[in-house]
């Protein structure tokens, strides 16, 4: 009907074909990309005629999208149709409710792009399989974060023709598994050398630091947590700066996140429900590098199904669990701490967690007051020359404090300690300066007591309710002369207790009126004054009496069933 329009369309199509056949050098020089693609080859299995879905999984900012783009760039010419649906979680998150109209809108967007038909109308979800079932297609769905997106654009492999490949990038491993995708490439962090090269490419335009910038470049690389996103953003920030400008910028970068990095990481945090957000903050501020078993116990009263929630954070790449220990990337840790800091910018005592040395010291000396909001304090007071005298009323306002970690031998309690919050679940205070806990101490909810190197001669007077106590560590408390009555620690029958008394050189006797049936390990190494054999459990697996004054073990030890 319109010859001019037809000629224009033919010319445009030919022009686009020529563009597609022009060799691209957009991704030349990307550090480590060849290794990523090599590892993906067996997952892609391009020689096979089967239709295959492949997941690219990893934390935010690790390079999932870049890897998918490079793969798409190299492979798309080998397919009849191809499409790269970028940043789905941002562009289509408003559609992410499990309803029919949302899927129709998503499929319409998908079909419009893959067959290059802008005004295409999708009236039912059978359109995609009907149009694509005999086509060899390459589809990249980037940043998928809910099942509706997959159901709308790539629900089944039979939707696509033989040899098709569907690549899905996501932070959520569970999403891939739920969709039956078993070919998953987990993106690892770059090596130290690769991380430095990535940073230098963006800061100097070359793969190594300029002369005189070597140490500065390595420090910034470390501050970026070797995360490719952080390395690119930081590199661009320092581009063209003088050495003095680098030095001036470092103090701020050591304590805060770059705004671009923060916005990308925070998107993942914002997508969590309120309970998982709270758990994320607990981990970021207090429980990194802790045993998952201990974290479960410490948080059992706070969260329902702690292990399941931790798995959710791991599946979304916000934490990792390696050999039973919880880890979190340093940039995500900074994000969590910044979120907590913004809970009360000018009054630290109103926040959930306190970890800044200066702010905590002001609270402990009485120059500032804490509140019911505070549930965790973590103070590292090592490598400090000046002694700090902690006020006897330091914890009086913090009635909801549950987790207290204090380390350092320069803290004094010359006025004693009037109050310890009764909700404490974790009390860890190395070099504790008092000889005994205050008489009114309530440890009913205490799960773990760690008093390494303390000056305590005894823990407390009388009998305390210890129904929640699982672990005690009194190592190197050289003044300790006696242990309290632990008969109320009834929960020990069900859980492990590791009672370590190594180096308590003044301890003369262990109480004989208790039977800790679940006691797994007892180390009395270097308790040089201890003369009597510890008759406190026959279920001990590991017993160390080296350096004690015990001269003889009873014959009955032969019948202990678990002794190794």
């Amino acid at each position: 009907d319109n010859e001019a329009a037809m000629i224009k369309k033919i010319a445009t199509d030919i022009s686009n074909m020529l563009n597609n056949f022009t060799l691209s050098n957009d991704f030349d020089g990307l550090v480590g990309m060849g290794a990523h693609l090599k590892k993906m080859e067996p997952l892609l299995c391009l020689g096979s005629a089967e239709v295959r879905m492949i997941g690219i999984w990893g934390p935010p900012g690790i390079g999932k999208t870049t890897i998918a783009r490079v793969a798409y760039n190299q492979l798309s010419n080998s397919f009849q149709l191809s499409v790269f649906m970028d940043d789905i979680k941002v562009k289509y998150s408003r559609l992410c409710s499990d309803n029919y109209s949302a899927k129709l809108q998503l499929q319409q967007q998908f079909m419009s792009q893959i067959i290059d038909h802008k005004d295409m109308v999708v009236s039912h979800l059978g359109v995609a399989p009907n149009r694509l079932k005999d086509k060899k297609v390459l589809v990249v769905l980037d940043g998928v974060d809910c099942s509706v997106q997959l159901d709308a654009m790539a629900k089944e492999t039979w939707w696509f023709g033989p040899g098709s490949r569907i690549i899905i990038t996501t932070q959520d491993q569970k999403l891939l598994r739920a969709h039956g995708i078993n070919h998953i490439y987990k993106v690892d962090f770059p090596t130290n050398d690769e991380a430095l090269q990535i940073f230098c490419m963006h800061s100097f335009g070359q793969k190594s630091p300029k002369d005189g910038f070597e140490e500065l470049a390595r420090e910034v690389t470390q501050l970026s947590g070797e995360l490719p996103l952080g390395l690119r953003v930081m590199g661009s920030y320092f581009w063209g700066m003088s050495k003095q400008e680098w030095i001036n910028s470092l103090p701020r970068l050591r304590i805060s996140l770059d705004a671009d990095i923060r916005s990308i990481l925070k998107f993942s945090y914002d997508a969590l429900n309120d309970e998982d957000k709270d758990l994320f903050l607990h981990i970021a501020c207090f429980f990194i590098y802790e045993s998952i078993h201990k974290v479960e116990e410490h948080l059992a009263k706070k969260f329902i199904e702690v292990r399941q929630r931790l798995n959710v954070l791991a599946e979304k790449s916000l934490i990792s669990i390696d050999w039973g220990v919880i880890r979190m990337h340093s940039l995500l840790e900074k994000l969590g701490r910044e979120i907590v800091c913004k809970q009360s910018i000018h009054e630290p005592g109103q926040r959930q967690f306190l970890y800044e040395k200066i702010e905590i010291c002001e609270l402990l000396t009485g120059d500032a007051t804490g509140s019911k909001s505070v549930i965790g304090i973590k103070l590292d007071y090592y490598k400090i020359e000046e002694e700090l005298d902690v006020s006897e009323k330091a914890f009086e306002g913090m009635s909801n404090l549950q987790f207290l970690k204090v380390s350092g031998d320069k803290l004094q309690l010359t006025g004693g300690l009037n109050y310890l919050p009764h909700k404490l679940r974790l009390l860890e205070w190395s070099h504790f300066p008092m000889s005994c806990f205050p008489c009114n101490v309530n440890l009913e909810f205490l799960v773990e007591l760690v008093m390494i190197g303390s000056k305590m001669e005894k823990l407390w007077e009388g009998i305390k309710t210890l129904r929640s106590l699982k672990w005690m560590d009194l190592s190197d408390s050289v003044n300790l002369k006696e242990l309290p009555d632990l008969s109320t620690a009834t929960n020990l029958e069900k859980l492990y207790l590791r009672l370590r008394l190594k180096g308590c050189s003044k301890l003369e006797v262990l109480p004989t009126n208790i039977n800790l049936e679940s006691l797994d390990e007892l180390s009395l190494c270097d308790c040089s004054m201890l003369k009597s054999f510890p008759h406190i459990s026959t279920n001990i697996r590991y017993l160390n009496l080296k350096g004690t004054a015990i001269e003889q073990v009873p014959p009955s030890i032969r019948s202990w069933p678990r002794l190794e």
Side-chain angles (χ1 to χ4, degrees):
D1 293 339
N2 187 329
E3 189 173 291
M6 182 178 75
I7 291 171
K8 183 178 179 181
K9 180 160 190 340
I10 292 171
T12 302
D13 287 350
I14 292 172
S15 177
N16 289 339
M17 289 177 189
L18 289 171
N19 290 340
N20 289 337
F21 282 102
T22 302
L23 291 175
S24 166
N25 60 359
D26 292 351
F27 303 105
D28 290 356
L30 284 180
V31 176
M33 198 51 61
H36 284 304
L37 296 180
K38 190 74 176 172
K39 291 174 184 175
M40 282 192 67
E41 282 180 6
L43 297 173
L44 288 165
C45 196
L46 294 172
S48 168
E50 71 171 305
V51 178
R52 183 172 282 205
M53 295 190 184
I54 303 100
I56 300 179
W57 171 59
I62 200 160
K64 302 181 295 295
T65 300
T66 305
I67 295 168
R69 280 199 184 280
V70 175
Y72 179 82
N73 183 261
Q74 292 190 4
L75 302 175
S76 57
N77 286 340
S78 303
F79 294 81
Q80 290 173 277
L81 296 173
S82 58
V83 64
F84 193 107
M85 299 285 289
D86 63 319
D87 215 1
I88 289 171
K89 67 176 177 289
V90 173
K91 292 185 178 179
Y92 310 116
S93 60
R94 69 185 187 280
L95 303 176
C96 236
S97 56
D98 192 12
N99 59 62
Y100 189 67
S101 61
K103 293 179 184 178
L104 283 176
Q105 290 179 60
L106 282 165
Q107 190 170 118
Q108 183 169 311
Q109 295 275 356
F110 171 65
M111 291 302 298
S112 295
Q113 290 191 45
I114 196 168
I115 65 173
D116 194 21
H117 185 168
K118 290 183 181 178
D119 301 319
M120 184 171 187
V121 176
V122 171
S123 58
H124 59 88
L125 295 176
V127 171
N130 287 342
R131 295 292 295 271
L132 302 176
K133 64 186 177 185
D134 58 349
K135 300 286 194 300
K136 181 183 177 183
V137 302
L138 174 63
V139 175
V140 175
L141 304 178
D142 174 48
V144 171
D145 67 347
C146 70
S147 59
V148 173
Q149 297 156 349
L150 291 178
D151 290 345
M153 295 181 280
K155 186 172 185 179
E156 305 285 352
T157 53
W158 60 261
W159 282 20
F160 310 99
S164 293
R165 293 294 179 269
I166 319 300
I167 298 173
I168 297 138
T169 75
T170 184
Q171 289 172 223
D172 193 343
Q173 185 188 34
K174 185 179 179 182
L175 197 65
L176 298 173
R177 299 265 185 229
H179 205 67
I181 300 170
N182 298 315
H183 305 292
I184 300 173
Y185 178 54
K186 180 187 176 186
V187 186
D188 290 321
F189 287 95
T191 64
N192 293 342
D193 288 341
E194 287 174 339
L196 183 62
Q197 289 177 41
I198 294 170
F199 173 73
C200 289
M201 284 296 292
H202 289 83
S203 55
F204 304 114
Q206 60 189 43
K207 289 189 176 181
S208 58
K210 288 183 178 178
D211 289 344
F213 285 83
E214 291 85 358
E215 291 303 316
L216 290 168
R218 289 191 183 279
E219 181 173 356
V220 179
T221 299
Q222 190 175 11
L223 288 173
S224 303
E226 298 176 345
L227 187 73
L229 166 71
L231 296 165
R232 292 196 300 272
V233 171
M234 292 282 203
S236 300
Y237 173 79
F238 282 104
W239 177 270
M241 281 190 181
S242 67
K243 187 173 181 178
Q244 189 58 47
E245 287 174 316
W246 279 58
I247 293 169
N248 294 342
S249 297
L250 279 174
R252 180 181 63 82
L253 294 175
R254 289 186 185 114
I255 60 173
S256 62
L257 279 176
D258 174 271
D260 291 337
I261 298 172
R262 183 190 302 111
S263 65
I264 291 173
L265 298 182
K266 195 167 185 298
F267 193 96
S268 304
Y269 168 82
D270 289 339
L272 298 172
N273 64 39
D274 290 344
E275 286 282 297
D276 291 339
K277 282 179 182 176
D278 197 17
L279 179 58
F280 174 85
L281 297 180
H282 277 70
I283 302 301
C285 295
F286 216 89
F287 290 110
I288 300 176
Y289 301 118
E290 288 286 355
S291 149
I292 189 170
H293 178 51
K294 284 193 175 183
V295 172
E296 280 187 276
E297 292 298 332
H298 289 313
L299 300 181
K301 297 289 185 184
K302 174 74 175 178
F303 300 98
I304 299 171
E305 298 178 329
V306 178
R307 175 65 70 98
Q308 185 175 329
R309 292 188 180 279
L310 289 170
N311 288 339
V312 167
L313 295 183
E315 286 163 352
K316 293 183 182 297
S317 307
L318 294 171
I319 63 170
S320 62
I321 302 170
D322 303 312
W323 301 98
V325 174
I326 297 174
R327 302 176 190 275
M328 178 182 283
H329 192 273
S330 58
L331 296 184
L332 288 167
E333 178 186 2
K334 276 186 182 176
L335 172 69
R337 293 187 169 199
E338 284 190 8
I339 291 169
V340 167
C341 186
K342 288 179 180 178
Q343 292 172 351
S344 178
I345 294 174
H346 302 297
E347 294 187 43
Q350 302 296 320
R351 301 174 195 157
Q352 267 186 299
F353 294 97
L354 299 172
Y355 47 83
E356 289 293 343
K357 192 176 299 180
I358 294 174
E359 295 171 347
I360 296 173
C361 289
E362 287 179 352
L363 286 175
L364 295 185
T365 55
D367 293 335
T369 55
S371 71
K372 293 180 179 180
S373 301
V374 180
I375 61 173
I377 294 178
K378 194 173 189 177
L379 173 63
D380 182 355
Y381 205 72
Y382 279 117
K383 300 179 182 177
I384 305 291
E385 294 299 324
E386 184 181 349
E387 288 193 348
L388 182 76
D389 195 3
V390 178
S391 167
E392 65 271 20
K393 300 179 180 179
F395 302 103
E396 281 190 3
M398 294 179 266
S399 57
N400 288 319
L401 186 67
Q402 297 175 47
F403 314 109
L404 177 61
K405 275 190 176 185
V406 179
S407 55
D409 55 2
K410 298 292 183 181
L411 293 167
Q412 300 300 323
L413 282 161
T414 53
L417 194 60
N418 292 348
Y419 173 78
L420 271 175
H422 77 280
K423 292 184 180 179
L424 274 175
R425 296 183 65 77
L426 168 61
L427 175 54
E428 182 176 327
W429 193 322
S430 70
H431 305 283
F432 185 68
M434 292 175 62
S435 61
C436 182
F437 278 126
C439 59
N440 63 348
V441 67
N442 185 338
L443 303 174
E444 183 179 357
F445 300 106
L446 192 69
V447 174
E448 183 172 14
L449 178 65
V450 180
M451 308 294 282
I452 297 172
S454 77
K455 294 183 179 179
M456 302 187 91
E457 297 179 8
K458 57 183 175 182
L459 297 184
W460 51 74
E461 297 282 358
I463 300 174
K464 300 291 181 184
T465 300
L466 302 168
R467 63 182 183 185
S468 300
L469 189 63
K470 310 290 188 298
W471 301 283
M472 289 176 67
D473 190 343
L474 306 173
S475 301
D476 298 319
S477 296
V478 295
N479 295 332
L480 193 66
K481 296 178 180 177
E482 62 179 86
L483 278 182
D485 186 332
L486 299 175
S487 59
T488 61
T490 54
N491 217 26
L492 295 176
E493 295 177 7
K494 302 176 183 177
L495 294 163
Y496 293 106
L497 172 71
R498 281 181 171 80
L499 181 57
R500 300 176 64 222
L501 301 169
K502 178 181 176 181
C504 302
S505 56
K506 294 188 179 180
L507 185 68
E508 296 182 11
V509 64
L510 289 175
T512 57
N513 60 335
I514 56 173
N515 185 16
L516 303 179
E517 289 296 333
S518 292
L519 187 62
D520 181 69
E521 178 180 332
L522 179 60
S523 176
L524 300 169
C525 179
D526 296 329
C527 295
S528 55
M529 300 287 286
L530 189 66
K531 297 178 181 179
S532 59
F533 185 83
H535 292 280
I536 57 176
S537 176
T538 59
N539 285 331
I540 292 173
R541 178 180 58 86
Y542 172 81
L543 177 64
N544 187 351
L545 303 177
K546 180 181 178 182
T548 67
I550 298 171
E551 296 180 356
Q552 193 173 26
V553 296
S556 61
I557 198 171
R558 293 180 181 140
S559 63
W560 290 12
R562 300 181 64 238
L563 193 68
E564 295 177 12

